[in-house]
Amino acid sequence: MIGTIIRNRELEINVFRSRALFAGLVILIAFSAVAARLVYLQVIKRDHYHTLAEANRISLLPVVPNRGLILDRHNEVLAANYSAYTLEVMPSRVKNLDAMLEELNAIVEIQPRDKRRFKRLLEESKNFESLPIRNRLTEEEVARFAVNRYRFPGFEIRPRLFRNYPQGDVASHALGYIGRINDADLKRIEDADLSSNYRGTDHIGKLGIEGSYENELHGNTGTEQMEIDAGGRAMRSLATTAPVAGNNLTLTLDIKLQKVAEQLFGEGRGSIVAIEPATGEILALVSKPGFDPNLFVDGIDPQNWDLLNTSADRPLLNRALRGAYPPGSTLKPFLALSALESGKRTTQQSISDPGVFRLPGVAHYWNDDKPGGHGVVDMHKSIVISCDTYYYQLASETDIDDTAKFLRSLGFGTKTGIDIDGELEGILPSKQWKSNRFAKATSEARKWYVGDSISAGIGQGYNSFTPLQLAHATATIANDGVAMRPRLVRQITDAATGKIKSTAEADVNKATPLALKTENVAFIKAAMAAVTKDGTGARAFANAGYTSAGKTGTAQVYGVKRGEKYVAGRVTEKLRDHAWYIAYAPADKPTIALAVMVENGGFGGAAAAPIARAILDFYLLGKKPDITKIKPPENESDSRD
């Protein structure tokens, strides 16, 4: 009998139910996990993934703002913008860049200098989205590229704004220039947390007004939402946040006066600073030779850079702010005022000038500029005829630290606070200064001697000041002892609102009344006025249609041996004396004060004073100068005042 298998149906059902329940539970957990993930992705992380999806579809492009204009005090344009087409490339989208450039050259001419500039930008500007290959394309070149664009993926024609300086090299040191952003600029931008505002910007202000007022001129970058396809090509614009243009600057400069002042130098070297005494507004700031700031807009080519950077005339040096020179006899009015204020001298005291100054018990002696001397000389005459012996004796009896303290109050040896960067302090010698300067030398070399004071007493020795400092001090005397901070920007016009902000109202031009006796200032001013009538400036200011005050100065560069006579024509041009003239006019109510410095120009009365006369003639009378009559006769500079 075959065995019968007895099935336990109840057990089988229970097993089946357990398995079904387990399988259902697994399925439920799986679907729950899927549902939870969907909720997480579509609800909790919706905004995040929506943003990522939109980023794949939408590209945010920067819209670079218009740079602010720079105008002179009469609203003549000194720096402006214009739009032109630029051929640009995104290097990351081009496989063989060199080969593509060669092929492109058959359609749009790319010169070797364009390739050199592009290669330099490729190395320095890796953070930029696109780099220019050719700027300022013609309409014909744009059309040729448009037809062949499909052959050059990664290349685009874009409209760009370019800076333009319509006055060329006029006022170049005051204006500065814009140039491509380099690593140092990037660091400053990042440190100031301005990276987002410079996205898409290739240029930044360098030097002068362009550099110092970059924050005002740059503006605020806008954005454009652009829909793109899978290949990264723009399809359509979705939305735009308009950029805000940079603010416009109105300068204190009178560009017509600036042009005249620069023309007066011809091919020579030097500086002129003209200031309105009552306000501190700079009417002209000249440094010759200058440079054309337009050269830097696209990135200066190596040839021009080499010419500027290696020239013996140093055209990139801002002589007005960074050229430090011995002031020569232009320092005498300020030294005389110091003596009056300290009580070291009275206006009536006189000396006898034999033409030489000696210290008791000292073999060394100091010659006056006039052999045989000037006879009896009081303080008034000492300024008018520029008597060295008077100031030799005064300096020998005066503590150099007292002199330094007084001159510093007039702005010598310290920054004037002009509203552009780069100003030098110059050198105002004192006992402590010499000790610090020769700290590694012997104690005898660090010591201050009477002979040091005597040299400093005629504006020589260690004295070294900028033309701006001389002009500022002269303007302070012209303004009856009230010092005004020099400034180049007169007002700022808000591009968005049109509101005008005066720099004087912004409290950047506070008056600083010096503690000077009125009668002492008046005496010095009268003596300086006599310089143009009876003194060393009389020849240059003969028959002027106005009254002026001034002082000549001749700063020694090369020292002749004792007993020899200095003759300019026998000395190499670079070793000839610097010529100075400081002035203000009209003498009774000054509207302009200036300092003129002609490098290696010779005698101040012959080289610098005629330039000052021509400037004052133009500014006060509207008389255009005859440039041919300004240059002094050859070898006229045979003496030192």
Side-chain angles (χ1 to χ4, degrees):
M1 175 178 174
I2 299 174
T4 302
I5 299 176
I6 301 174
R7 299 176 61 183
N8 189 337
R9 292 185 175 275
E10 185 175 351
L11 179 62
E12 289 180 352
I13 291 172
N14 288 337
V15 171
F16 175 78
R17 286 176 178 173
S18 298
R19 290 176 178 175
L21 182 63
F22 178 78
L25 184 61
V26 170
I27 293 171
L28 180 62
I29 292 173
F31 274 103
S32 297
V34 172
R37 183 62 176 169
L38 290 174
V39 170
Y40 175 78
L41 293 176
Q42 297 188 20
V43 178
I44 298 175
K45 299 293 289 183
R46 177 189 179 280
D47 292 341
H48 172 71
Y49 287 105
H50 176 75
T51 301
L52 292 179
E54 287 296 295
N56 289 331
R57 184 178 71 90
I58 299 173
S59 176
L60 287 178
L61 302 178
V63 183
V64 180
N66 286 346
R67 193 169 179 84
L69 305 180
I70 302 178
L71 315 168
D72 88 328
R73 68 192 296 122
H74 301 300
N75 292 322
E76 187 160 347
V77 177
L78 307 181
N81 310 301
Y82 68 95
S83 181
Y85 289 107
T86 298
L87 177 60
E88 301 188 7
V89 62
M90 287 186 171
S92 60
R93 295 188 180 180
V94 181
K95 293 181 178 179
N96 191 334
L97 189 57
D98 291 335
M100 194 69 78
L101 289 176
E102 288 300 322
E103 187 178 349
L104 182 65
N105 192 45
I107 298 171
V108 176
E109 183 182 6
I110 302 175
Q111 298 180 355
R113 58 170 250 159
D114 297 321
K115 292 181 180 179
R116 289 194 298 267
R117 184 180 65 233
F118 174 73
K119 188 172 292 186
R120 187 174 69 250
L121 293 175
L122 193 61
E123 295 172 353
E124 298 176 355
S125 308
K126 54 189 175 184
N127 292 330
F128 290 112
E129 294 182 349
S130 64
L131 298 175
I133 297 175
R134 258 287 311 278
N135 291 324
R136 293 191 282 268
L137 273 67
T138 65
E139 294 291 339
E140 182 181 347
E141 288 174 323
V142 171
R144 284 204 303 266
F145 178 82
V147 173
N148 293 275
R149 185 193 175 285
Y150 69 94
R151 296 166 50 194
F152 303 99
F155 289 79
E156 293 286 348
I157 295 286
R158 293 186 178 180
R160 289 265 185 176
L161 287 173
F162 292 90
R163 199 64 159 171
N164 180 49
Y165 301 93
Q167 307 295 335
D169 63 354
V170 178
S172 55
H173 287 283
L175 294 174
Y177 59 89
I178 67 167
R180 289 205 162 266
I181 295 175
N182 56 32
D183 291 339
D185 298 323
L186 279 175
K187 187 177 186 307
R188 286 196 298 270
I189 291 170
E190 290 168 0
D191 291 345
D193 197 24
L194 294 173
S195 297
S196 60
N197 197 37
Y198 277 83
R199 187 167 173 258
T201 300
D202 298 335
H203 297 81
I204 195 170
K206 314 263 189 177
L207 303 179
I209 293 295
E210 292 278 26
S212 298
Y213 282 84
E214 170 66 22
N215 290 342
E216 296 286 353
L217 291 165
H218 176 68
N220 296 321
T221 300
T223 57
E224 182 179 14
Q225 293 185 9
M226 185 68 69
E227 186 176 27
I228 57 177
D229 62 14
R233 290 182 291 272
M235 301 295 291
R236 61 192 177 100
S237 177
L238 301 177
T240 301
T241 301
V244 178
N247 296 332
N248 296 334
L249 303 182
T250 302
L251 304 189
T252 63
L253 291 179
D254 182 331
I255 199 62
K256 292 181 180 178
L257 179 68
Q258 178 82 23
K259 287 179 180 178
V260 167
E262 293 193 17
Q263 289 169 0
L264 291 169
F265 272 101
E267 299 300 318
R269 302 179 307 278
S271 175
I272 299 171
V273 179
I275 299 176
E276 189 175 71
T279 63
E281 293 188 352
I282 293 180
L283 303 170
L285 191 144
V286 175
S287 178
K288 292 291 288 184
F291 59 90
D292 186 352
N294 290 299
L295 292 173
F296 292 87
V297 174
D298 292 342
I300 189 167
D301 61 88
Q303 290 81 4
N304 279 312
W305 173 248
D306 188 59
L307 287 173
L308 292 174
N309 204 37
T310 61
S311 171
D313 290 335
R314 304 177 71 187
L316 294 177
L317 173 66
N318 188 339
R319 287 168 165 80
L321 272 67
R322 300 189 59 80
Y325 310 86
S329 294
T330 57
L331 199 61
K332 290 175 180 175
F334 308 107
L335 294 172
L337 181 58
S338 175
L340 290 176
E341 289 291 317
S342 67
K344 282 288 183 180
R345 290 287 186 275
T346 66
T347 57
Q348 292 80 25
Q349 282 180 277
S350 301
I351 68 161
S352 178
D353 173 22
V356 65
F357 177 75
R358 299 178 186 273
L359 286 171
V362 178
H364 187 84
Y365 60 90
W366 291 265
N367 287 317
D368 192 272
D369 65 294
K370 181 181 179 182
H374 295 90
V376 177
V377 179
D378 61 10
M379 183 177 284
H380 178 87
K381 186 177 179 181
S382 76
I383 295 173
V384 174
I385 63 173
S386 198
C387 175
D388 285 345
T389 304
Y390 184 95
Y391 291 92
Y392 291 148
Q393 183 169 323
L394 174 61
S396 71
E397 300 171 4
T398 305
D399 190 314
I400 188 64
D401 287 344
D402 293 337
T403 301
K405 182 179 179 181
F406 180 81
L407 292 179
R408 187 173 294 277
S409 71
L410 287 168
F412 292 104
T414 185
K415 294 181 180 180
T416 65
I418 188 173
D419 54 344
I420 57 175
D421 298 329
E423 183 181 8
L424 288 185
E425 290 185 349
I427 297 174
L428 178 60
S430 65
K431 295 173 185 176
Q432 187 61 53
W433 174 86
K434 187 178 182 184
S435 179
N436 294 339
R437 172 64 178 80
F438 299 101
K440 296 182 180 180
T442 64
S443 59
E444 289 299 311
R446 296 197 302 270
K447 184 179 178 181
W448 187 270
Y449 295 95
V450 176
D452 294 329
S453 293
I454 291 173
S455 293
I458 59 167
Q460 293 287 164
Y462 298 116
N463 285 308
S464 184
F465 307 126
T466 66
L468 175 62
Q469 289 172 334
L470 263 295
H472 174 56
T474 304
T476 299
I477 296 298
N479 202 35
D480 295 324
V482 179
M484 306 298 290
R485 178 185 171 187
R487 72 184 194 279
L488 276 164
V489 173
R490 197 178 202 187
Q491 64 185 36
I492 301 170
T493 304
D494 190 292
T497 65
K499 185 178 179 181
I500 295 175
K501 178 176 67 176
S502 168
T503 55
E505 293 174 0
D507 206 28
V508 298
N509 191 38
K510 278 188 175 180
T512 307
L514 305 182
L516 303 175
K517 295 179 181 178
T518 304
E519 61 271 23
N520 291 340
V521 175
F523 176 85
I524 297 299
K525 293 176 72 172
M528 292 179 69
V531 168
T532 64
K533 298 177 182 177
D534 309 310
T536 53
R539 178 178 175 182
F541 282 86
N543 303 315
Y546 49 87
T547 58
S548 69
K551 180 69 189 80
T552 55
T554 305
Q556 182 176 331
V557 175
Y558 164 76
V560 297
K561 294 180 180 179
R562 187 169 300 282
E564 293 184 359
K565 180 179 175 61
Y566 170 81
V567 179
R570 299 174 187 171
V571 180
T572 303
E573 192 265 347
K574 289 284 186 179
L575 296 179
R576 294 177 188 172
D577 296 341
H578 299 317
W580 281 98
Y581 194 79
I582 58 173
Y584 61 84
D588 56 340
K589 194 174 181 180
T591 58
I592 182 173
L594 54 83
V596 178
M597 190 283 301
V598 183
E599 271 191 21
N600 308 118
F603 180 51
I611 292 177
R613 166 70 187 272
I615 291 171
L616 295 179
D617 281 356
F618 179 80
Y619 188 73
L620 299 174
L621 307 177
K623 183 179 177 181
K624 292 186 178 180
D626 183 350
I627 307 298
T628 61
K629 295 182 179 180
I630 301 300
K631 186 178 179 180
E634 190 70 22
N635 300 340
E636 183 171 344
S637 172
D638 289 346
S639 64
R640 289 165 168 163
D641 64 336

